[in-house]
Amino acid sequence: MRHAVVGDLCLDWNAVTWAADTDLQVIVWTAEAGTPAHDGLRTLASGAADPSHAARSGSA
């Protein structure tokens, strides 16, 4: 997967289906610890990759 801010992310995924409604699924994307993809996900989770976050904090 390629993200516009953090670049390429090599991710694993799991799908969880709800037994009461098999049309509903939750997809969980993960990356192996210590990989560039893991670092990229942590950057996204921190909000540091959000351009509006930088604007609010006064960062360029």
Side-chain angles (χ1 to χ4, degrees), residues 26-53:
V26 174
I27 307 297
V28 180
W29 294 89
T30 59
E32 186 175 341
T35 63
H38 183 261
D39 295 341
L41 289 180
R42 292 191 54 96
T43 298
L44 293 172
S46 75
D50 179 1
S52 65
H53 174 77

Side-chain angles (χ1 to χ4, degrees), residues 1 3 7 14 18-21 24 27 38-39 47 50 54 58 60:
M1 175 180 301
H3 188 276
N14 289 302
W18 185 29
D21 187 346
L24 297 177
I27 307 297
H38 183 261
D39 295 341
D50 179 1

Side-chain angles (χ1 to χ4, degrees), residues 2 6 8-11 15-17 28 31 33 38 41 49 54 59-60:
R2 180 169 295 213
V6 297
D8 291 337
L9 298 169
C10 182
L11 303 172
V16 179
T17 304
V28 180
H38 183 261
L41 289 180
S59 305

